[in-house]
Amino acid sequence: MSGPELFSRPRRFGRGAALTLVFASVLATGVATGSWSAEGGGKSEERPAGSAPGGRHEDVRDAAAEAMADGKSPTQAAEEAVSRSGDRWGAVYSQGEYKEFEQELDGQYTGVGLWARRTADGRIEVAKVGSGSPAAHAGVRPGDRLRTVDGRPVTGRPVTEVVSLLRGEHAGTAVRLGLARGTRAWTETLRRANLATEPVTVSRLPGGTVLIKVAAFTKGSGDRVRSAVRDAPHGDGVLLDLRGNPGGLVTEAVTAASAFFDGGLVATYDVRGHQCALHAERGGDTSRPVVALVDSGTMSAAELLTGALQDRGRAVVVGSKTFGKGSVQMPSRLPDGSVAELTVGHYRTPTGRSVDGRGITPDLEADEGARQRAETVLSGLGDPS
């Protein structure tokens, strides 16, 4: 299985997930559990009104300010402070990295347009090539093996490390790939470009099922899910594929939930003891059969949506246990313009289940052949008319 370039990226502070209020993507871990990714990165963002970072945020800011006054690196001091805090999801990002994250939330990234995955024997393989991308123009194909990046061997490395080599801050910069296809081995120099992702793809399966694959919750993805459900012929079931979805903007996940609910609770969350609720908009399709397909790479905002569908009996969940990222991060601007992210709370599903560290167990567990099982379940749910 695979995921878009947008949500896998090098991080200055490798423990991190991201970002502003929500249950952000941590693709580094998603990759380790078998989901696929590629060159990009992403974050989740939604800050509650009136909230302000405090506590450990102040400690990190103070450490950065003190280092800056002493002529030392404030970013490094902040990283050390976050490390000491014991925050599993804490992270520090440079000003440039944070700006890049904001651009990536719009579905934009700088790369060569290939998706990568690690095989069981540790090899890095091209899983997908973006149409019109530098990789596509160079003739790179799915199934090609990626041996080196700028002369550095990548076999055995985590996909996220490979991603950090592929990525670049600026379009037009060169990256040299060592590739292999069968017995042929060659080197290709590509120039990175500003590219766009397709976080939601819609297709029709035999028998009338509408397959909606949501690779990430970037801006606009929620409305695309709603449009796909609204435009589907009456009576056709929906297979909502959230496998490998590392999360993104919680507002987009809630908008996607609104496609299947006529209002009502999607999730609750707390920020330092302050309780908040997220609700679906009214007018969604409440009768169409739905199966949600998940795996260990289904994370954060994608788990929020899965939990709502499962708790409210709106979908049968098929696949393997999800990752278990249900914590809330908030940002704090440091004196040098860098940004520290620290955990301030957690979210729960409509019935009050905590997801963080636990994940969501599917109604029907299936690993191999999960999609076929999901299609079988969907066909048995019947015509809602």
Side-chain angles (χ1 to χ4, degrees):
M1 190 172 92
S2 304
E5 296 182 49
L6 179 63
F7 278 84
S8 175
R9 53 150 144 237
R11 299 186 183 277
R12 172 175 294 275
F13 189 52
R15 311 169 53 143
L19 302 157
T20 315
L21 152 70
V22 102
F23 329 123
S25 55
V26 193
L27 201 52
T29 315
V31 168
T33 57
S35 60
W36 61 283
S37 73
E39 300 167 18
K43 71 173 185 175
S44 298
E45 184 170 16
E46 275 307 305
R47 188 167 179 166
S51 65
R56 284 182 295 178
H57 284 85
E58 294 177 0
D59 294 339
V60 173
R61 283 199 305 268
D62 289 346
E66 184 176 336
M68 196 169 185
D70 292 341
K72 300 177 182 178
S73 168
T75 301
Q76 183 176 347
E79 290 174 352
E80 292 172 354
V82 171
S83 181
R84 289 194 300 270
S85 75
D87 188 339
R88 180 185 181 190
W89 305 112
V92 178
Y93 304 95
S94 70
Q95 189 172 9
E97 287 171 334
Y98 203 77
K99 182 178 180 180
E100 181 184 333
F101 295 170
E102 293 175 325
Q103 293 172 340
E104 288 166 350
L105 285 174
D106 290 322
Q108 307 296 320
Y109 65 99
T110 301
V112 298
L114 65 80
W115 281 248
R117 63 187 170 203
R118 193 168 77 169
T119 62
D121 60 3
R123 294 185 301 175
I124 301 298
E125 184 178 89
V126 176
K128 180 181 175 183
V129 179
S131 176
S133 67
H137 289 310
V140 180
R141 301 176 190 172
D144 289 345
R145 299 191 307 279
L146 184 61
R147 299 179 300 114
T148 61
V149 177
D150 285 332
R152 303 178 188 179
V154 298
T155 299
R157 292 190 181 212
V159 173
T160 46
E161 288 187 18
V162 178
V163 165
S164 71
L165 299 175
L166 291 169
R167 290 276 298 182
E169 290 190 18
H170 305 291
T173 56
V175 58
R176 190 173 73 260
L177 307 184
L179 297 157
R181 181 184 304 155
T183 59
R184 178 194 173 202
W186 78 102
T187 300
E188 197 78 47
T189 297
L190 307 180
R191 297 217 169 256
R192 299 177 178 98
N194 293 323
L195 302 171
T197 60
E198 296 181 5
V200 179
T201 55
V202 183
S203 58
R204 289 186 64 80
L205 303 177
T209 295
V210 178
L211 172 63
I212 304 176
K213 168 66 178 176
V214 187
F217 285 109
T218 54
K219 289 181 180 178
S221 57
D223 280 333
R224 293 186 66 179
V225 172
R226 292 177 67 181
S227 296
V229 173
R230 183 174 58 247
D231 296 343
H234 176 72
D236 285 359
V238 169
L239 180 56
L240 182 65
D241 191 346
L242 299 174
R243 293 176 298 176
N245 184 321
L249 293 166
V250 69
T251 48
E252 298 297 337
V254 173
T255 299
S258 299
F260 307 103
F261 297 126
D262 185 22
L265 186 64
V266 175
T268 60
Y269 64 91
D270 64 276
V271 177
R272 288 191 295 276
H274 179 64
Q275 299 297 314
C276 303
L278 300 167
H279 292 89
E281 296 180 18
R282 298 188 65 86
D285 187 324
T286 60
S287 59
R288 186 187 303 275
V290 181
V291 169
L293 191 55
V294 301
D295 69 359
S296 58
T298 304
M299 305 170 67
S300 59
E303 291 178 286
L304 178 149
L305 173 58
T306 302
L309 292 170
Q310 187 180 58
D311 279 9
R312 295 182 59 181
R314 186 62 191 90
V316 177
V317 179
V318 177
S320 52
K321 191 174 182 180
T322 64
F323 178 77
K325 169 70 168 68
S327 57
V328 180
Q329 280 73 47
M330 293 180 107
S332 178
R333 187 75 64 176
L334 302 179
D336 65 340
S338 59
V339 175
E341 292 281 349
L342 289 171
T343 300
V344 295
H346 297 82
Y347 80 87
R348 294 179 179 274
T349 68
T351 60
R353 289 186 294 164
S354 174
V355 174
D356 200 49
R358 301 179 181 179
I360 294 173
T361 300
D363 300 305
L364 175 62
E365 295 197 56
D367 192 3
E368 296 295 327
R371 176 168 148 177
Q372 289 71 27
R373 295 290 298 275
E375 291 182 40
T376 300
V377 170
L378 188 59
S379 67
L381 293 181
D383 188 330
S385 63

